[in-house]
């Protein structure tokens, strides 16, 4: 028996501040010129296809950099403002390539430098097919965020990867009005995919802010005009998940407003085929409409798009199949289909968008395609699509005025994830990111990967696909296929207007909820011994929490003890019961061995030094680790 493995990890913002100080110190103490610049590849450690170029000039001048494409249309150009001290973020390098970057001063002096990059890691999905033109895409990248089998990555007009992250950022990646990116963090707080909150960052990998939510983040966020952020979350100890939205102060991280859907909707009616008591609503999208001052939200597990009054939280309307809902709700909140064209309700939908004219656009996954189990449709006979509905809230009527995807059948079918985007009238994106095959035919599971982990299916062959389409007046002008499942697609240029290197330490805003203790005392003998090797125990300490990781048999009775320097003891249960999640929108935290258990304990509410001990097998074991809070 040995002491438990222990590692202390600095916060990513702390680490990046150290990295930035190091390359700035090197720049200040060196003699770096246009002809001899300082080049720092992957300056913030999480974006390998980026660099920083630093040099001085004797007179102030503007600088333009051109990252040369493999072909001319792939050139990426950006101009930086007039200065004598040039600190230039470089985006759009190719992997495993001797990249040429032109540096052009406004006085016509220039230099070309070479930047060699490493090969792509195996968990970054290389495009298998792309159909578009460089004229259509320009310098835009199609950003795909992770779900299964791939890290976040950006693809250019030719399908080449020009940006990726080695960090498992989660759910949607959006550009904020200030040009920064807003994306879910990689810091897991609860299975299957709830993370600490949001990062505000640059494509350089530089993180300006982490917004920590007490109960964590999932699925989606929306930036308001004043900069405050609508974020999807839940109440950590309520027994349900994915049924709360909050408004976050972008300056302080404080929660300003909260909408709890348990107070708005019944939880035991009209469930989709994936619903359970724990995940009854499964909110996967939020949209604020200024014209009506309302929130529109997608509840996958009720096959429902709901609209709430922003101020009062009162329910205004519901889009969805009314079967199974109470009649008084059907009479007061549901729409009646009208029109002469085709009409299908949406099922287990994602990514609701309110259009400028009040129409509602959504990705209709179509999973089960019925509220009645007797009429559930097999995946192989099903379809997914982007759809646009026109609603009349006075007459309470709904008309389907556009769709794309139904005609492609099962090859475009995604039982989970996906999104749509509205660019202009007749100009849309439809991203079907959750396509899965088992032995070459459409998988009948919610996720092929869930079955792949079961012993009886271990010899089956599972393949994944993601198809991202853009249409202009119903003409397909873009299609990207990637052999992975990707949560959402966003089309963005790597540089925003007037982008510069923004330096200085980022901010850590908000805090975790206080981790619940238990009063239950397990009868156990003090052994004075270290944790036995078969638990493979390790402790990873962060600035605001720590994680006890170990191997436990299902149903083992185990606790973590924190013994304060005063002698007081806190007890925390270890959940050793394997969980089966019906909805797995992001699978990056899944482990091959279900006995491998993480127990996170937040430092919120703790103060001082604590010895960490483990109770297991009716024995108290030492870890040899002391936590400072």
């Amino acid at each position: 028996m040995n002491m438990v493995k222990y590692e202390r990890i600095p916060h990513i913002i702390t680490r990046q501040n150290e990295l930035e100080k190091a390359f700035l110190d090197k720049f200040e103490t060196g003699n770096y010129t246009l002809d001899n610049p300082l080049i720092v590849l992957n300056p913030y450690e999480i974006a390998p296809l980026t660099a920083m170029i630093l040099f001085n000039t004797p007179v102030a001048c503007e600088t333009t950099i051109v990252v040369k494409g493999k072909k001319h249309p792939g050139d990426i150009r950006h101009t930086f403002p007039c200065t004598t001290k040039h600190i230039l973020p470089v985006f759009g390098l190719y992997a495993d390539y001797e990249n040429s970057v032109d540096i052009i001063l406004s006085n016509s002096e220039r230099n070309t430098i070479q930047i060699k990059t490493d090969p792509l890691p195996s968990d970054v999905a290389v495009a298998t097919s792309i159909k578009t033109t460089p004229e259509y895409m320009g310098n835009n990248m199609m950003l795909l965020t992770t779900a299964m089998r791939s890290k976040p990555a950006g693809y250019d007009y030719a399908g080449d990867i020009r940006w990726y992250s080695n960090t498992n950022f989660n759910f949607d990646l959006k550009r904020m009005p200030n040009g920064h990116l807003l994306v879910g963090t990689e810091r897991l707080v609860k299975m299957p995919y709830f993370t600490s909150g949001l990062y505000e960052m640059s494509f350089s990998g530089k993180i300006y802010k982490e917004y920590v939510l007490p109960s964590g983040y999932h699925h989606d966020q929306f930036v308001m005009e004043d900069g405050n952020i609508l974020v999807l979350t839940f109440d950590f100890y309520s027994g349900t998940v994915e049924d709360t939205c909050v408004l976050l102060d972008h300056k302080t991280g404080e929660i300003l407003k909260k909408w709890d859907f348990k107070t708005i909707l019944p939880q035991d009616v009209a469930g989709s085929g994936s619903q359970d008591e724990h995940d009854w609503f499964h909110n996967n999208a939020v949209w604020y409409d200024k014209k009506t001052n309302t929130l529109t939200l997608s509840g996958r597990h009720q096959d429902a798009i709901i609209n709430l009054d922003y101020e009062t939280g009162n329910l205004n309307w519901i889009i969805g199949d009314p079967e199974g809902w109470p009649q008084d709700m059907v009479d007061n909140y549901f729409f009646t289909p009208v029109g002469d064209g085709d009409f299908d309700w949406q099922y287990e939908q994602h990514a609701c968008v309110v259009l400028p004219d009040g129409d509602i656009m959504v990705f209709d996954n179509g999973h089960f395609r019925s509220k009645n189990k007797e009429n559930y449709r097999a995946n192989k006979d099903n379809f997914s699509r982007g759809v646009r509905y026109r609603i009349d809230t006075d007459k309470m009527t709904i008309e389907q005025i556009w769709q794309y995807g139904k005609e492609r059948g099962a090859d475009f079918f995604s039982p989970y994830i996906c999104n749509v985007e509205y660019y202009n009238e007749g100009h849309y994106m439809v991203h079907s990111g959750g396509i899965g095959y088992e032995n070459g035919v459409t998988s009948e599971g919610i996720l092929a990967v869930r079955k792949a982990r079961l012993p009886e299916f271990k010899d089956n062959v599972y393949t994944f696909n993601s198809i991202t389409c853009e249409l202009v007046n119903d003409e397909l002008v873009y299609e990207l296929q990637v052999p992975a499942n990707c949560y959402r697609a966003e089309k963005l240029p790597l540089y925003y207007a007037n982008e510069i290197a923004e330096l200085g330490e980022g901010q850590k805003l908000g805090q975790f909820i206080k981790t619940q203790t238990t009063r239950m005392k397990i009868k156990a003998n003090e052994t004075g011994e270290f944790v036995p090797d078969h638990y493979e125990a390790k402790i990873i300490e962060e600035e605001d929490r720590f994680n006890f990781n170990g191997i436990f048999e299902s149903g083992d009775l185990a606790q973590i003890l924190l013994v304060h320097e005063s002698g007081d003891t806190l007890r925390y249960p270890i959940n050793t019961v394997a969980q089966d999640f019906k909805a797995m929108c992001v699978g990056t935290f899944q482990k091959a061995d279900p006995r491998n258990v993480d127990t996170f304990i937040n430092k919120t509410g703790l103060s001082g030094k604590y010895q960490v001990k483990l109770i297991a097998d009716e024995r108290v074991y030492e870890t040899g680790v002391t936590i400072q809070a």
Side-chain angles (χ1 to χ4, degrees), residues 257-549:
K257 194 172 176 65
K258 177 180 177 180
W259 297 266
D260 183 347
F261 313 141
K262 292 189 294 296
T263 67
I264 299 167
L265 297 170
Q267 292 100 65
D268 56 355
V269 301
S272 80
S274 298
Q275 188 192 61
D276 58 27
E277 291 182 5
H278 180 63
D279 193 3
W280 64 275
F281 187 67
H282 195 92
N283 185 198
N284 58 35
V286 58
W287 190 275
Y288 174 74
D289 181 48
K290 183 179 179 181
K291 289 181 181 179
T292 57
N293 196 30
T294 61
L295 297 181
T296 302
L297 304 123
S298 166
R300 178 186 187 226
H301 288 179
Q302 287 192 328
D303 299 321
I305 301 167
I306 68 171
N307 181 267
L308 309 180
D309 182 278
Y310 177 82
E311 299 299 337
T312 66
N314 291 338
L315 181 64
N316 291 322
W317 49 254
I318 300 174
I319 293 176
D321 184 343
E323 182 176 355
W325 288 87
Q327 190 60 45
D328 64 328
M329 294 193 70
V330 174
D331 294 341
N332 289 296
Y333 299 112
F334 281 79
F335 294 92
T336 300
V338 296
D340 298 328
D342 292 339
F343 185 91
D344 293 289
W345 290 116
Q346 88 291 344
Y347 295 89
E348 296 205 355
Q349 73 289 324
H350 284 74
C352 53
V353 178
V354 180
L355 307 191
D357 65 356
D359 285 359
I360 307 299
M361 195 170 177
V362 68
F363 189 91
D364 168 22
N365 295 82
H367 195 215
F368 298 110
R369 203 157 286 283
S370 177
K371 308 289 284 185
N372 187 330
K373 288 183 179 181
E374 294 180 0
N375 298 325
Y376 282 174
R377 188 178 298 190
N379 292 357
K380 66 181 178 63
D381 302 319
N382 211 339
F383 62 90
S384 297
R385 66 199 178 128
V387 60
R388 180 172 177 173
Y389 294 120
R390 181 154 294 160
I391 58 173
D392 185 325
T393 55
D394 293 324
K395 298 178 180 178
M396 291 305 289
T397 58
I398 185 169
E399 182 179 4
Q400 180 179 304
I401 63 168
W402 179 87
Q403 74 86 37
Y404 175 82
K406 181 176 182 178
E407 66 282 0
R408 298 185 66 159
D411 286 341
F412 201 68
F413 176 74
S414 290
Y416 76 126
I417 58 178
C418 312
N419 71 304
V420 292
E421 292 286 344
Y422 169 91
Y423 299 127
N424 212 328
E425 275 305 300
H427 188 187
Y428 313 126
M429 174 207 284
V430 181
H431 167 71
S432 186
I435 301 165
Y437 297 94
E438 182 178 356
N439 296 328
V441 298
T442 301
S443 173
E444 289 304 324
I446 291 180
L447 286 181
V449 74
R450 295 180 67 209
K451 294 179 71 175
R453 293 179 182 277
L454 300 175
E456 59 266 39
F457 300 110
K458 66 181 178 63
D459 294 327
N460 289 355
V461 177
Y462 295 91
T463 54
F464 299 83
N465 198 21
S466 172
I467 304 176
T468 306
C469 300
E470 292 193 3
L471 301 107
V472 177
N473 298 325
D474 291 327
E475 178 188 353
L476 187 66
V477 295
Y478 179 93
E479 181 173 303
L480 172 71
Q481 297 202 31
V482 170
N485 279 182
C486 302
Y487 176 67
R488 283 190 183 177
E490 297 284 350
K491 184 171 70 175
L492 300 171
L494 292 178
Y495 289 100
Y496 62 87
N498 305 314
E499 181 162 3
I500 60 172
E502 298 177 58
L503 306 173
E505 186 168 8
Q507 296 177 276
K508 306 162 193 172
L509 304 176
Q511 66 175 357
F512 290 123
I513 196 170
K514 183 178 179 180
T515 305
Q516 280 188 347
T517 57
T518 179
R519 293 183 179 180
M520 185 181 76
K521 293 184 178 181
I522 299 174
K523 185 178 180 181
N525 297 320
E526 289 276 359
T527 65
E529 299 173 352
F530 288 116
V531 178
D533 293 343
H534 69 267
Y535 286 106
E536 299 181 25
K538 62 181 177 182
I539 293 174
I540 300 174
E541 183 178 6
E542 301 174 65
E543 293 178 13
D544 49 8
R545 65 176 185 172
F546 74 92
N547 174 26
F548 186 100
N549 173 263

Side-chain angles (χ1 to χ4, degrees), residues 32-34 55-61 63 83-86 105 109:
Y32 295 101
T33 64
L34 173 63
F55 61 92
N56 292 303
T57 53
V59 296
C61 51
T63 305
T83 184
T84 59
K85 182 178 291 186
H86 305 269
L105 305 185
E109 293 183 45

Side-chain angles (χ1 to χ4, degrees), residues 64-287:
T64 297
I65 62 167
V66 182
V67 180
K68 304 297 288 183
K70 291 181 178 179
K71 294 182 179 179
H72 178 68
D75 290 357
I76 295 175
R77 177 185 297 263
H78 187 71
T79 298
F80 297 90
C82 190
T83 184
T84 59
K85 182 178 291 186
H86 305 269
I87 304 174
L88 314 177
V90 178
F91 306 152
L93 302 174
Y94 295 92
D96 197 18
Y97 191 69
E98 191 79 31
N99 292 270
S100 293
V101 180
D102 291 342
I103 309 170
I104 307 166
L105 305 185
S106 53
N107 63 8
S108 298
E109 293 183 45
R110 61 189 301 154
N111 185 22
T112 299
I113 62 170
Q114 306 298 314
I115 302 177
K116 181 69 172 70
T117 51
D118 291 332
L120 289 171
S122 60
D123 57 357
V124 176
V126 176
T128 52
S129 170
I130 188 163
K131 301 172 185 177
T132 191
T133 65
E135 292 77 19
Y136 175 74
M137 279 299 283
N139 277 341
N140 286 308
M141 302 288 145
M142 191 61 73
L143 274 295
L144 301 181
T145 43
T146 182
M148 291 287 171
R149 304 291 176 92
S150 184
K151 292 284 201 308
Y155 302 79
D156 71 4
Y157 79 96
D160 287 316
I161 292 173
R162 307 293 293 274
W163 183 91
Y164 76 90
S165 179
N166 48 25
T167 298
N168 282 322
F169 297 127
N170 274 281
F171 295 111
D172 200 13
L173 182 151
K174 299 182 189 296
R175 177 148 268 159
M176 304 173 72
N178 65 4
H180 295 170
L181 306 173
L182 195 63
V183 66
T185 77
E186 84 293 0
R187 297 212 291 156
L188 182 70
V189 298
K190 187 175 185 179
M191 286 294 287
Y193 44 56
F194 304 108
T195 64
S196 64
L198 296 163
Y199 287 140
E200 182 176 333
M201 59 177 284
S202 162
F203 273 122
S204 68
K206 165 89 173 189
I207 295 173
Y208 305 113
K209 295 178 182 177
E210 181 188 20
Y211 297 99
V212 170
L213 282 86
S215 295
Y217 155 84
H218 65 90
H219 281 97
D220 203 11
Q221 64 275 3
F222 185 99
V223 182
M224 306 285 278
E225 276 189 0
D226 61 5
N228 291 336
I229 308 167
L230 294 166
V231 189
L232 300 186
T233 182
F234 62 106
D235 289 328
F236 203 87
Y237 295 114
S238 69
T240 63
V241 292
E242 306 188 38
D243 52 12
T244 304
C245 178
V246 296
L247 179 67
L248 206 63
D249 187 305
H250 72 287
K251 295 180 180 178
T252 66
E254 177 188 358
I255 291 177
L256 303 174
K257 194 172 176 65
K258 177 180 177 180
W259 297 266
D260 183 347
F261 313 141
K262 292 189 294 296
T263 67
I264 299 167
L265 297 170
Q267 292 100 65
D268 56 355
V269 301
S272 80
S274 298
Q275 188 192 61
D276 58 27
E277 291 182 5
H278 180 63
D279 193 3
W280 64 275
F281 187 67
H282 195 92
N283 185 198
N284 58 35
V286 58
W287 190 275

